[in-house]
């Protein structure tokens, strides 16, 4: 099954977009057995079955239950299983034990999805503005979980000594050696970042992307592309993981505690070649493709090793404003997602797609931020501590989901997401 998720700019009304996004989730799970979809490989990951059910619970709870008269829940016990972290929705199954939910089965969860989809399709034409906005929020929420589903399955399959592939390898196009980094000077002076879309309704944005506000950019430049696997191997061979002077104190403690020697899913075999495990199983590393699955600690250490730094969120966002956020290597169908080498060209490349790009900016509220009212207000605001912002989307981000103002965020030790880095420098 190959289903493409439409963007808001590619036509189709809300009902068509709803059907398209929901179908892509089912397509992503199609290669999985019930066991594949049930197991949880770590506390930070969730089973594929849970992702499929949780995104359905969102629509059933915040749209059907709250805005459709006489709607009866599909199963009154399931909200306890498939609520994630919404305190306003009451008690829920602990995150660390989602992999213990052997029942309902995958087929039963798919039946739940079909039931909610049919109920929503019936009432959607008559819904008012507020529930329609919740449907829009739910679609973007589900696109996030589509990427999470791929991240989590890759981590799960990596624990299996058989190294199973979820998808057949995508056709490989020879990557051109990118050549030395080039530097592109950024704007200097006062500019704006963030957006007011969540307020004025001109287009969708998560509440944490606003409000728009003024910032000042000092003289700086961004590298024209992300760092490649080949360049990361140079860092490894130069002793980058063994030299404490490049690392933050917490990062160095993390390296030592966990014996980190390379990006997640990498290993060097007896033939001297590097391989990585991905959604198509074990594959030789493409030296020209962007490095992926690195933590903030690793990205910061690499930047220190080069003598440069990570861009700020404001620098990155300002540079990306002139690029099409729906372009680049992003997810279109249920297939292998992997970063690819940059195409030749002048100026900034790969601003959107391929790999999320770590910034040096903490995930904190923009000036004037106010969380949305009700339970959905818990979605972003309460996570604004101890995490760093990533920008640009990746090869597993559904096309149409991304914006220059989009703020992804992870704790600095996390690296099972498709994360890489672009360097910045002061001028």
């Amino acid at each position: 099954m190959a289903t493409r998720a439409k963007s808001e700019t590619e036509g189709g009304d809300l009902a068509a977009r709803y059907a398209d996004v929901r179908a892509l989730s089912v397509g992503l799970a199609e290669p999985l057995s019930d066991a594949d979809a049930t197991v949880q490989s770590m506390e930070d990951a969730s089973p594929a079955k849970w992702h499929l059910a949780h995104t359905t619970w969102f629509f059933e709870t915040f749209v059907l239950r709250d805005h459709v008269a006489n709607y009866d829940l599909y199963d009154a016990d399931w909200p306890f299983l498939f609520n994630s972290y919404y305190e306003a929705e009451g008690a829920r199954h602990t995150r660390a034990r989602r992999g213990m939910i052997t029942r309902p089965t995958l087929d039963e969860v798919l039946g739940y999805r079909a039931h909610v989809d049919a109920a929503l399709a019936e009432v959607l034409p008559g819904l008012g503005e507020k529930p329609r906005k919740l449907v829009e929020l739910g679609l973007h929420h589900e696109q996030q979980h589509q990427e999470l589903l791929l991240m989590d399955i890759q981590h799960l399959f990596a624990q299996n000594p058989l190294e199973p592939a979820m998808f057949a390898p995508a056709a490989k196009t020879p990557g051109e050696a990118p050549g030395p980094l080039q530097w592109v000077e950024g704007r200097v002076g006062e500019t704006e970042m963030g957006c007011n879309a969540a307020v004025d309704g001109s287009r969708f944005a998560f509440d944490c992307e606003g409000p728009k506000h003024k910032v000042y950019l000092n003289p700086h430049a961004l590298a024209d592309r992300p760092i490649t696997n080949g360049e990361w191997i140079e860092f490894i061979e130069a002793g980058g993981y063994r030299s404490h002077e490049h690392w933050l104190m917490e990062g160095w403690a993390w390296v030592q505690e966990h014996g980190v020697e390379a990006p997640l899913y990498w290993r060097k075999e007896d033939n001297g070649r590097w391989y990585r495990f991905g959604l198509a199983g074990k594959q030789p590393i493409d030296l020209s493709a962007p490095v992926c699955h690195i933590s903030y600690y690793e990205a910061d250490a690499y930047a220190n090793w080069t003598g440069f730094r990570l861009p700020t969120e404001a620098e990155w966002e300002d540079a990306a404003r002139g690029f099409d956020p729906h372009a680049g290597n992003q997810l279109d169908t249920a297939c292998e997602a992997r970063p690819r080498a940059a195409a030749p060209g002048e100026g900034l490349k790969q601003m959107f797609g391929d790999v999320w790009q770590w910034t040096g900016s903490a995930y904190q509220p923009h000036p004037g931020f106010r969380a949305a009212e009700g339970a959905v207000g818990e979605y972003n605001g309460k996570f604004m501590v101890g995490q760093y912002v990533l920008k640009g989307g990746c090869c597993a981000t559904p096309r149409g989901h991304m914006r220059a103002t989009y703020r992804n965020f992870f704790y600095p030790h996390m690296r099972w997401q498709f994360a890489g880095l672009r360097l910045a420098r002061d001028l």
Side-chain angles (χ1 to χ4, degrees):
M1 179 177 183
T3 307
R4 191 177 188 283
K6 291 187 179 73
S7 78
E8 292 171 89
T9 62
E10 292 175 316
D13 59 14
L14 186 59
R17 211 159 61 245
Y18 176 88
D20 210 36
V21 170
R22 296 282 287 170
L24 179 57
S25 297
V26 175
L28 291 173
E30 190 172 40
L32 304 177
S33 69
D34 186 80
D36 292 333
T38 298
V39 179
Q40 180 179 19
S41 58
M42 62 172 175
E43 184 174 344
D44 292 322
S46 296
K49 185 170 68 179
W50 187 90
H51 287 297
L52 295 171
H54 167 69
T55 50
T56 304
W57 168 87
F58 185 99
F59 289 111
E60 183 181 52
T61 300
F62 297 124
V63 181
L64 296 175
R65 185 199 67 182
D66 291 351
H67 295 279
V68 176
N70 302 317
Y71 176 80
D72 292 325
L73 294 178
Y74 183 79
D75 188 307
D77 292 328
W78 286 17
F80 177 82
L81 296 178
F82 301 127
N83 180 7
S84 54
Y85 48 71
Y86 293 88
E87 297 286 348
E89 287 298 318
R92 59 203 176 278
H93 187 70
T94 181
R95 177 176 183 171
R97 295 184 63 80
R98 289 173 184 167
M100 300 294 103
I101 305 174
T102 59
R103 303 292 178 91
T105 66
L106 175 59
D107 283 344
E108 289 171 327
V109 166
L110 293 174
Y112 175 41
R113 288 180 66 88
H115 172 87
V116 169
D117 288 348
L120 195 56
E122 182 178 352
V123 302
L124 187 55
L127 288 180
E129 181 181 3
K130 182 176 181 180
R132 288 178 72 86
K133 285 186 175 181
L134 287 169
V135 172
E136 189 75 71
L137 173 61
L139 292 177
H140 287 268
H141 167 254
E142 180 141 353
Q143 287 180 310
Q144 290 180 317
H145 278 271
Q146 289 166 350
E147 182 173 331
L148 284 165
L149 188 152
L150 292 177
M151 289 164 45
D152 294 352
I153 284 293
Q154 181 173 348
H155 189 271
L156 172 65
F157 280 12
Q159 315 310 309
N160 189 328
L162 298 179
E163 298 182 309
M166 183 175 180
F167 299 110
K172 290 183 171 56
T173 54
E176 184 175 322
L181 285 178
Q182 304 296 317
W183 295 96
V184 179
E185 291 190 24
R187 186 196 311 268
V188 177
E190 187 178 273
T191 186
E192 291 184 321
M193 68 178 294
C195 66
N196 293 327
V199 176
D200 63 28
S202 60
R203 63 176 176 82
F204 179 84
F206 289 112
D207 57 1
C208 66
E209 297 176 51
K212 185 180 290 186
H213 60 285
K214 295 185 183 301
V215 293
Y216 187 89
L217 300 178
N218 289 303
H220 69 282
L222 298 185
D224 64 332
R225 57 169 173 80
I227 294 301
T228 66
N229 291 320
E231 289 164 331
W232 198 270
I233 289 173
E234 294 176 6
F235 173 66
I236 295 173
E237 293 178 344
Y241 284 93
R242 302 190 301 273
S243 303
H244 67 87
E245 60 267 24
H246 307 314
W247 296 80
L248 295 167
M249 181 181 71
E250 288 185 2
W252 183 241
W254 172 79
V255 165
Q256 293 179 304
E257 179 182 357
H258 298 283
V260 179
E261 299 178 337
L264 187 63
Y265 307 129
W266 280 38
R267 73 167 181 264
K268 191 174 186 179
E269 299 202 340
D270 293 340
N271 61 7
R273 295 185 65 185
W274 283 97
Y275 294 82
R276 67 177 289 272
F277 179 82
L279 293 167
K282 187 183 77 171
Q283 301 288 328
I285 283 178
D286 179 354
L287 299 180
S288 298
V291 67
C292 191
H293 299 298
I294 58 170
S295 66
Y296 174 84
Y297 293 142
E298 290 166 284
D300 180 75
Y302 182 93
N304 289 332
W305 176 70
T306 63
F308 302 117
R309 61 174 175 82
L310 299 177
T312 68
E313 181 181 6
E315 290 169 346
W316 192 100
E317 186 173 316
D318 188 76
R321 192 170 293 144
F323 291 83
D324 180 2
H326 301 162
N329 178 21
Q330 301 182 50
L331 186 70
D332 290 309
T333 62
C335 63
E336 180 198 11
R338 61 178 174 84
R340 297 174 181 168
E346 299 295 325
L348 296 170
K349 296 180 281 293
Q350 296 173 298
M351 292 300 288
F352 292 99
D354 285 299
V355 291
W356 287 101
Q357 298 169 38
W358 284 107
T359 73
S361 297
Y363 178 56
Q364 294 182 330
H366 288 330
F369 168 77
R370 294 292 183 272
E373 294 182 3
V376 294
E378 299 183 48
Y379 194 68
N380 288 306
K382 67 182 184 182
F383 298 108
M384 291 175 170
V385 61
Q387 307 198 64
Y388 282 84
V389 173
L390 302 93
K391 305 288 277 188
C394 71
C395 56
T397 302
R399 195 178 305 279
H401 183 61
M402 195 42 50
R403 298 168 293 282
T405 57
Y406 195 106
R407 311 180 79 196
N408 200 358
F409 49 92
F410 281 95
Y411 291 102
H413 69 280
M414 291 177 168
R415 58 185 191 151
W416 92 110
Q417 70 276 21
F418 291 81
L421 80 154
R422 181 187 300 268
L423 293 175
R425 63 184 297 185
D426 298 311
L427 297 178

